[in-house]
Amino acid sequence: MFSKIVFGALFCVSAFLFAQKSKTANTILMGGNPVHTYSQLPAVNKPAPKFTLAGVDMKDQDLDSYKGKFLILNIFPSVDTGVCSASVRHFNEDAASLPNTVVLCISKDLPFAQKRFCGAEGIKNVVMLSDFRSDFGKIYGVELTDSPMKGLLSRAVVVIDPTGKIVYEEQVSDISHEPNYEATMKAVKL
């Protein structure tokens, strides 16, 4: 009888660990080569997970700071790369014409680098936020767990509606590609 209980317990633990591994396994590409993120993006139609990030002024900003607005989370590895800076420029242009919408550009870049980039590029319509001292990358499942970019964020977009529910998400399949801007804009114009 004792062996059946032990076997049953081991089976349950194994099943749980397999489910956790399956839940967290996420393979994307970086220039065609497989890399992995911490887990999957939060699911559509679920409440957006809370986060706190550092603004360019080094002050904390959290999800509740933007209640009642559509939020576009433009998540990327570093503003010092061509594709990342292109996404910030593109969302900066789009944000100017979107009512009741805030675009948050989120990376592990230090706030000083984000501020310098925005000044040099004339970026004024998006909010730059840094994950350098928080666990956003793990909460949203976008932190890279291997490759030379381990610890940085993958390229993804999450759209949150004014009630705080996720209405769109895209884990870009290859970090070297830009996100689907058209699908993102459609999610905001629901």
Side-chain angles (χ1 to χ4, degrees), residues 77-139:
S78 174
V79 76
D80 286 325
T81 67
V83 177
C84 299
S85 59
S87 74
V88 172
R89 284 187 209 95
H90 194 109
F91 279 118
N92 183 62
E93 290 175 21
D94 289 343
S97 65
L98 296 172
N100 198 39
T101 303
V102 178
V103 177
L104 305 179
C105 293
I106 303 168
S107 69
K108 289 266 188 174
D109 291 303
L110 292 176
F112 314 114
Q114 293 175 334
K115 186 174 184 177
R116 174 187 42 78
F117 172 80
C118 289
E121 296 286 330
I123 304 291
K124 297 180 191 297
N125 300 320
V126 299
V127 176
M128 300 295 284
L129 295 174
S130 176
D131 181 28
F132 86 101
R133 63 178 176 209
S134 75
D135 56 357
F136 174 86
K138 287 187 171 89
I139 293 170

Side-chain angles (χ1 to χ4, degrees), residues 10-188:
L10 288 174
F11 179 77
C12 289
V13 169
S14 296
F16 173 78
L17 292 175
F18 178 76
Q20 292 303 308
K21 184 176 181 183
S22 297
K23 178 182 174 187
T24 61
N26 191 30
T27 302
I28 57 174
L29 301 174
M30 181 170 60
N33 298 310
V35 295
H36 302 91
T37 62
Y38 186 75
S39 66
Q40 305 288 323
L41 283 170
V44 172
N45 295 321
K46 299 286 184 190
K50 303 283 186 190
F51 61 79
T52 301
L53 297 162
V56 294
D57 59 1
M58 299 296 286
K59 293 181 181 171
D60 285 344
Q61 294 189 34
D62 58 27
L63 181 61
D64 291 338
S65 303
Y66 301 97
K67 254 187 179 166
K69 296 185 179 295
F70 272 100
L71 288 180
I72 298 172
L73 309 185
N74 175 32
I75 305 162
F76 53 89
S78 174
V79 76
D80 286 325
T81 67
V83 177
C84 299
S85 59
S87 74
V88 172
R89 284 187 209 95
H90 194 109
F91 279 118
N92 183 62
E93 290 175 21
D94 289 343
S97 65
L98 296 172
N100 198 39
T101 303
V102 178
V103 177
L104 305 179
C105 293
I106 303 168
S107 69
K108 289 266 188 174
D109 291 303
L110 292 176
F112 314 114
Q114 293 175 334
K115 186 174 184 177
R116 174 187 42 78
F117 172 80
C118 289
E121 296 286 330
I123 304 291
K124 297 180 191 297
N125 300 320
V126 299
V127 176
M128 300 295 284
L129 295 174
S130 176
D131 181 28
F132 86 101
R133 63 178 176 209
S134 75
D135 56 357
F136 174 86
K138 287 187 171 89
I139 293 170
Y140 275 74
V142 293
E143 187 172 309
L144 294 166
T145 60
D146 55 15
S147 83
M149 292 178 44
K150 178 180 179 178
L152 295 178
L153 306 179
S154 65
R155 186 173 323 287
V157 175
V158 176
V159 177
I160 303 168
D161 75 6
T163 68
K165 181 178 72 171
I166 296 174
V167 294
Y168 174 80
E169 56 91 352
E170 175 194 9
Q171 172 63 71
V172 178
S173 61
D174 191 315
I175 293 172
S176 64
H177 299 159
E178 291 184 56
N180 185 334
Y181 300 112
E182 186 178 326
T184 303
M185 295 305 108
K186 283 182 182 175
V188 173

